[in-house]
Amino acid sequence: MTQIKDIRKMYFEEGKNISQIARETGHDRKTVRAYLDKVDWNQKLPKVKKETAFPKLNPYKDDIDTWLNEDKKARRKQRHTAKRIYNRLVEKYGERFNCSYRTVAGYVAVKKKEIFNAREGFLPLEHVPGEAQADFGDADFYENGRHYRGKSLTLSFPHSNKGYTQLFKGENQECLFEGLKAIFEHIGGVPPRIWFDNASTIVAKVIKGGGRNLTDDFMRFMEHYRFKAVFCNVDAGHEKGNVENKVGYHRRNMLVPVPRFEDISEFNKELLIRCEEDAKRQHYRKNGTIEELYRDDKAALLELPKTTFDTSKYITVKTNGYGKFLLNKGLHEYSSAPKFANKYVLVRLTAFHVTVLDESHREIVRHERLYGDYKQQSMQWLPYLTQLARRPGALKYTGIYQMLPQPVKEYMEELSKQDRGKVLRVIADLTQKSSFEKAIKTVSTALSYGAADVDSLINLHRYLYEKVLQLEPIHLPEHIPHLNRYVPDFMAYDRSLKAGEEKC
């Protein structure tokens, strides 16, 4: 059974393929595949074997250990083999090196298990440089004056006690991916091991085996960045106490008073800079600043992948007769466009946006993503206004007319069929230039003035929302003489023209 377990470890944990395992174990490929495909196991825990000390290698163990530890940052195919380590020792020490290849290979095999596998399943007594912990916490904030009961994603490094925080409006897979990706790119690397809490967001399902799609997405993210995910025991979030303390610390020191901003993405960039400034303080227990200790963490980071990872989630949804569709168990309603009514559309989900794509993956409309377990609607009017402008005569006979805000319907009542199309095109242009809300505000202002023409709408919108330079009247100095206004006599031009014609 020990051999069987080792075979499964070599495949599932060390990433070796069936051919490699067959060569190393001496088993037939079919036998190896049978052990890998077996799902019904009633195995006993293997007994712990006493490791061989290899005393003859004592003068060289520091070199071997250093090379193998450096391999944690390298891709599997670029890691040291026992043969390569033996050759490097011979090159470095020459005739002074008097150990056999078999001795080196034996120690390397034991040490590789210790470095790459030994810490699995329990918390380390010491925080290893580069190892990180991730967790979500509650965080309130205001974006464009609107209050959100959001979440903060924190990634901390227990060795140095350095941490980074990003704000989100929810706690889903896309928030987790986008937050970690932003932090990875900011620090210029990836922690080789990250601890997660089973009770939080999407990662809990990786441990419990539920939510296959989500598990696959997380596995793709993990493989792309080449970090190893480690999970706390169930109901034992205290096992990653460093990040839990860091969540509270950042909330008290960076989110008090409750932050107010216009763009959450820009504020998240500012948060990363604040985290860097915070690292200049002294470590609470160790000698030196957090930033000085973080150098060890930095040195242990994996390289960023050359290919950018798309953190979006793609789903297909069926729209209703108005081109709308529902997400979040039917609580959140989004619009697409009239021509996509009663059809399937592709939707891209990110932490902040819901984007509808056409069959060529081009963007149709983009919505701010809705959060909260209550009914909400997001309506992008531009495609609907454009469609209505083409057929203004049928305006009142469409369901879209009933969805229009009251100011627009009142404004339309004062127009002829011919003018309705022109006004709808202007409202669509104003919506594209600024927003639908500002366009409706312009219509409401026009109603109060009794202005029902296209030029009035355009000028009112420019006056309300564009920066128009207001010039003060010019006052002439007293020494400049007053000149009477010259009024041209156009009849004189007529007389001159007639005289010219008579001569001809």
Side-chain angles (χ1 to χ4, degrees), residues 491-504:
M491 296 299 294
Y493 291 100
D494 290 339
R495 290 192 295 268
S496 299
L497 290 173
K498 288 182 179 179
E501 291 176 357
E502 292 175 355
K503 292 180 180 181
C504 291

Side-chain angles (χ1 to χ4, degrees), residues 13 15 80 85 94 135 193 267 340 352 357 418 426 429 468:
E13 299 181 14
H80 284 82
I85 286 179
D135 199 9
R193 288 162 59 91
F267 184 75
F340 293 100
F352 302 118
L357 307 174
Q418 183 179 1
V426 169
D429 291 340
V468 179

Side-chain angles (χ1 to χ4, degrees), residues 375-422:
K375 290 187 176 181
Q376 301 177 68
Q377 295 181 344
S378 179
M379 183 72 184
Q380 292 291 352
W381 278 100
L382 188 58
Y384 293 84
L385 293 171
T386 303
Q387 181 75 10
L388 288 174
R390 296 193 186 106
R391 300 180 61 190
L395 175 62
K396 288 189 176 182
Y397 305 103
T398 65
I400 300 174
Y401 179 76
Q402 300 303 323
M403 301 187 320
L404 288 170
Q406 189 61 31
V408 177
K409 289 192 283 189
E410 291 181 15
Y411 198 85
M412 293 299 165
E413 293 291 340
E414 304 297 325
L415 301 174
S416 64
K417 291 183 180 180
Q418 183 179 1
D419 290 337
R420 284 175 185 172
K422 296 179 182 179

Side-chain angles (χ1 to χ4, degrees), residues 298-483:
K298 183 80 171 178
L301 296 179
L302 303 173
E303 291 184 0
L304 285 171
K306 295 180 180 179
T307 304
T308 300
F309 186 84
D310 183 3
T311 59
S312 308
K313 183 177 182 180
Y314 296 86
I315 60 174
T316 55
V317 297
K318 179 72 177 291
T319 66
N320 61 18
Y322 299 110
K324 295 184 175 184
F325 58 93
L326 299 173
L327 297 179
N328 192 25
K329 300 178 181 179
L331 294 175
H332 300 161
E333 184 181 63
Y334 299 88
S335 65
S336 60
K339 70 175 183 177
F340 293 100
N342 295 315
K343 294 182 180 179
Y344 283 96
V345 293
L346 180 64
V347 177
R348 180 173 64 218
L349 303 176
T350 67
F352 302 118
H353 296 102
V354 173
T355 306
V356 183
L357 307 174
D358 65 13
E359 60 276 4
S360 300
H361 298 170
R362 293 173 299 191
E363 181 177 314
I364 302 171
V365 291
R366 180 185 297 185
H367 298 264
E368 293 289 330
R369 188 165 183 174
L370 302 174
Y371 286 92
D373 294 328
Y374 58 94
K375 290 187 176 181
Q376 301 177 68
Q377 295 181 344
S378 179
M379 183 72 184
Q380 292 291 352
W381 278 100
L382 188 58
Y384 293 84
L385 293 171
T386 303
Q387 181 75 10
L388 288 174
R390 296 193 186 106
R391 300 180 61 190
L395 175 62
K396 288 189 176 182
Y397 305 103
T398 65
I400 300 174
Y401 179 76
Q402 300 303 323
M403 301 187 320
L404 288 170
Q406 189 61 31
V408 177
K409 289 192 283 189
E410 291 181 15
Y411 198 85
M412 293 299 165
E413 293 291 340
E414 304 297 325
L415 301 174
S416 64
K417 291 183 180 180
Q418 183 179 1
D419 290 337
R420 284 175 185 172
K422 296 179 182 179
V423 169
L424 285 170
R425 281 191 291 272
V426 169
I427 295 176
D429 291 340
L430 298 182
T431 298
Q432 191 168 19
K433 184 180 294 184
S434 54
S435 68
F436 184 67
E437 290 74 17
K438 291 181 178 180
I440 298 306
K441 177 64 175 176
T442 302
V443 171
S444 298
T445 305
L447 279 173
S448 66
Y449 289 153
D453 59 282
V454 170
D455 291 336
S456 295
L457 280 180
I458 296 173
N459 290 327
L460 275 173
H461 188 273
R462 184 183 297 115
Y463 175 78
L464 291 172
Y465 300 110
E466 296 182 16
K467 294 181 179 179
V468 179
L469 182 62
Q470 300 293 333
L471 298 176
E472 295 292 333
I474 299 176
H475 299 283
L476 296 177
E478 294 182 358
H479 67 273
I480 295 180
H482 175 73
L483 299 176

Side-chain angles (χ1 to χ4, degrees), residues 136-155:
F136 278 99
D138 296 328
D140 287 9
F141 56 86
Y142 290 88
E143 184 181 35
N144 290 317
R146 181 179 175 182
H147 176 255
Y148 290 92
R149 288 194 168 280
K151 296 289 182 177
S152 62
L153 173 67
T154 297
L155 184 76

Side-chain angles (χ1 to χ4, degrees), residues 62-280:
D62 286 344
D63 287 325
I64 298 174
D65 294 352
T66 298
W67 295 338
L68 291 177
N69 276 295
E70 288 176 349
D71 278 352
K72 290 191 294 185
K73 297 188 291 182
R75 296 185 181 274
R76 183 175 61 84
K77 292 183 178 180
Q78 290 182 266
R79 293 174 180 172
H80 284 82
T81 61
K83 181 65 174 176
R84 178 57 183 148
I85 286 179
Y86 175 79
N87 290 338
R88 288 191 67 179
L89 291 171
V90 171
E91 293 170 3
K92 183 173 182 179
Y93 294 100
E95 295 180 356
R96 288 181 294 162
F97 183 70
N98 57 353
C99 299
S100 67
Y101 169 73
R102 184 182 295 274
T103 301
V104 174
Y107 178 74
V108 168
V110 172
K111 197 65 181 178
K112 277 190 173 183
K113 289 182 179 181
E114 176 186 331
I115 292 174
F116 294 105
N117 301 321
R119 289 196 297 273
E120 297 178 4
F122 59 91
L123 286 166
L125 296 177
E126 291 293 333
H127 293 304
V128 179
E131 191 167 283
Q133 299 176 358
D135 199 9
F136 278 99
D138 296 328
D140 287 9
F141 56 86
Y142 290 88
E143 184 181 35
N144 290 317
R146 181 179 175 182
H147 176 255
Y148 290 92
R149 288 194 168 280
K151 296 289 182 177
S152 62
L153 173 67
T154 297
L155 184 76
S156 70
F157 293 87
H159 172 76
S160 63
N161 198 34
K162 192 171 185 179
Y164 296 93
T165 293
Q166 295 284 272
L167 280 185
F168 294 95
K169 297 174 183 177
E171 184 181 349
N172 54 33
Q173 170 187 293
E174 294 75 51
C175 295
L176 175 67
F177 289 178
E178 291 192 30
L180 290 178
K181 179 182 177 181
I183 295 173
F184 293 165
E185 292 178 352
H186 175 77
I187 64 179
V190 181
R193 288 162 59 91
I194 305 177
W195 286 82
F196 295 95
D197 188 347
N198 297 309
S200 64
T201 65
I202 191 65
V203 182
K205 296 180 181 179
V206 175
I207 290 297
K208 297 178 182 179
R212 182 173 179 80
N213 289 336
L214 297 175
T215 299
D216 289 343
D217 291 339
F218 181 76
M219 291 298 292
R220 286 191 306 103
F221 182 81
M222 188 172 60
E223 290 300 322
H224 186 87
Y225 286 102
R226 298 190 297 121
F227 69 86
K228 183 171 183 60
V230 190
F231 303 96
C232 300
N233 293 316
V234 178
D235 298 325
H238 61 276
E239 291 180 347
K240 54 177 183 54
N242 180 268
V243 71
E244 293 187 348
N245 290 332
K246 188 65 69 178
V247 167
Y249 174 85
H250 282 164
R251 183 165 49 223
R252 294 187 300 271
N253 292 273
M254 298 184 184
L255 304 178
V256 176
V258 177
R260 295 174 179 268
F261 45 79
E262 295 182 359
D263 187 336
I264 191 171
S265 298
E266 292 300 319
F267 184 75
N268 276 335
K269 295 177 183 179
E270 182 181 334
L271 275 178
L272 294 175
I273 297 175
R274 292 187 189 180
C275 291
E276 298 292 355
E277 292 295 322
D278 179 72
K280 296 178 181 179

